[in-house]
Amino acid sequence: MKKLALTIALIGAACAAYAQDAQSIAAEAAKALSEAAPEQAAAPVKPSYWTTSAVCDLGFNQTGLWSWAAGGYNTLTLNAGLDLQANYAKDLKAWTNRLQLNYGFLWSADKSNLLQKSTDRIYLESKLAYRTSATSKWNYTASFDFRSQFTDSYDTYVQEDPENPKSPWTGTLRSGFFSPAYTNIALGIEWKPTAWFNVNVAPVSGGIIFVANENLRPNYGMKRIDQEGAYKPALFQFGAQVKINAKAMLNDKFTYDTQLVLFTDYLDNPFVHNRVNWDNKFTWQATKFFKVDLNTWLIYDPIVKIDGVVSKVQFKEFFAVNFTYTIKNKK
């Protein structure tokens, strides 16, 4: 029995020594294989040439009066805005797109059954640019613009039955959707010395003014079809355009954005009858989600008749405290 136990112990010791040697050999072999195997290269990051952003604004103002000796009316205003941008840049090519939508209305206690529009705007810009060289500040450009509004605009409201507070109101129609609508295609060259300033000169610029409402066509320069008083629904213009864009940031809170567009029609008193559009926007980002906006728009169009009589400088100002939220802003 002692010999048998000794024999078993010797066999076990030999097996353990053999197993330990086998483990060492396997570990050394695995290490040799890992060192010999080539390192796997990391997958290349796919470049992105698009920069997109979407900013939503919502503004609300309310005035309430109770036994107010100076008089006045309870009012409520609500306005919304959407600013969408999608820009592409690769090598010498660039494509910028921006859509601005604004709409707002006013309710006043003196016209309790009437909602009056306070702001209404559709503005689309799209521009293709090709830089003349890698270090140049000049671009060849082709651009498209569209301006109009969503709904009809009225003023000079009159109540059908002044003795009845619920009596409907009627106003004088001033404009509407596609009444007018401005489209423009321009070919030219752009000087862009910095990212925040550029001047685009387009000696070849053509567009169409649409006025869908027959009653408004005389006010927007539409030509007569015949002597009986009918007017064409559209007017073609061909001329030259200069567009200046600038955006200044005083700090992280205050910004100023402006655009000046000058257009002259080769077909109608060129360089005498010039159209001017000047947009300005002052912004104070008070907090992450609240900002104060002051917007102004100045228009002079020699073919547009105010009250059907004479051309005048048009000016509009809109001030609002808005809740603002950036849906996305990525590259």
Side-chain angles (χ1 to χ4, degrees):
M1 290 295 292
K2 292 182 178 180
K3 291 183 178 180
L4 178 60
L6 181 60
T7 302
I8 293 173
L10 291 174
I11 293 173
C15 291
Y18 176 78
Q20 184 176 4
D21 291 341
Q23 290 178 356
S24 300
I25 294 172
E28 292 178 357
K31 181 179 180 181
L33 288 174
S34 64
E35 293 177 352
E39 295 184 0
Q40 185 176 2
V45 179
K46 186 177 180 179
S48 177
Y49 303 108
W50 284 94
T51 301
T52 60
S53 67
V55 180
C56 298
D57 292 327
L58 184 64
F60 173 82
N61 296 287
Q62 183 264 341
T63 301
L65 305 176
W66 291 268
S67 301
W68 191 252
Y73 298 101
N74 296 335
T75 61
L76 172 68
T77 61
L78 181 66
N79 58 275
L82 186 61
D83 190 344
L84 305 175
Q85 296 191 52
N87 303 322
Y88 175 87
K90 181 182 179 183
D91 301 330
L92 303 180
K93 302 181 292 294
W95 183 24
T96 59
N97 303 276
R98 186 178 186 183
L99 175 63
Q100 300 175 68
L101 307 175
N102 302 93
Y103 193 83
F105 62 84
L106 164 70
W107 174 88
S108 179
D110 64 323
K111 299 180 179 66
S112 58
N113 58 340
L114 174 67
L115 286 180
Q116 303 175 66
K117 186 169 63 173
S118 58
T119 184
D120 188 357
R121 183 170 181 253
I122 303 172
Y123 185 31
L124 171 65
E125 296 179 277
S126 183
K127 180 179 69 178
L128 289 169
Y130 189 85
R131 209 169 353 154
T132 56
S133 69
T135 58
S136 176
K137 299 177 181 179
W138 293 88
N139 300 309
Y140 300 113
T141 61
S143 62
F144 171 78
D145 299 339
F146 173 81
R147 292 176 183 262
S148 191
Q149 59 188 33
F150 289 101
T151 61
D152 293 343
S153 298
Y154 299 86
D155 64 7
T156 318
Y157 284 98
V158 177
Q159 196 169 21
E160 293 183 3
D161 183 5
E163 301 299 328
N164 181 7
K166 296 183 179 181
S167 175
W169 294 80
T170 58
T172 303
L173 181 65
R174 296 300 186 187
S175 59
F177 181 67
F178 260 76
S179 296
Y182 296 87
T183 64
N184 188 68
I185 297 176
L187 303 176
I189 191 167
E190 177 185 69
W191 179 53
K192 190 175 183 179
T194 65
W196 58 270
F197 178 78
N198 64 76
V199 179
N200 190 295
V201 180
V204 179
S205 179
I208 300 176
I209 303 174
F210 297 95
V211 182
N213 191 303
E214 296 181 4
N215 297 324
L216 295 174
R217 291 172 186 172
N219 294 341
Y220 291 96
M222 299 297 104
K223 305 297 183 182
R224 289 183 180 272
I225 297 176
D226 49 45
Q227 298 300 321
E228 297 179 359
Y231 288 83
K232 296 180 179 179
L235 174 66
F236 173 73
Q237 293 182 315
F238 176 71
Q241 176 182 275
V242 176
K243 181 183 290 188
I244 302 172
N245 290 284
K247 185 173 184 178
M249 299 185 65
L250 302 180
N251 50 40
D252 294 338
K253 302 293 185 181
F254 293 92
T255 60
Y256 169 59
D257 197 347
T258 183
Q259 182 185 82
L260 175 63
V261 182
L262 307 174
F263 176 81
T264 188
D265 189 357
Y266 294 148
L267 307 178
D268 183 14
N269 294 316
F271 307 106
V272 176
H273 287 175
N274 304 315
R275 186 170 71 227
V276 179
N277 289 81
W278 188 18
D279 301 346
N280 293 279
K281 184 175 184 179
F282 302 85
T283 301
W284 174 39
Q285 192 72 45
T287 66
K288 181 179 180 181
F289 294 112
F290 287 93
K291 69 179 181 180
V292 179
D293 283 337
L294 173 62
N295 296 267
T296 68
W297 298 274
L298 184 148
I299 300 175
Y300 177 74
D301 194 334
I303 69 172
V304 175
K305 307 302 180 183
I306 305 301
D307 297 323
V309 179
V310 66
S311 300
K312 296 181 181 179
V313 174
Q314 307 169 52
F315 183 79
K316 181 179 179 180
E317 169 267 328
F318 190 79
F319 177 83
V321 178
N322 292 326
F323 170 80
T324 181
Y325 183 71
T326 301
I327 296 176
K328 59 180 180 178
N329 189 359
K330 65 180 182 178
K331 186 174 182 179

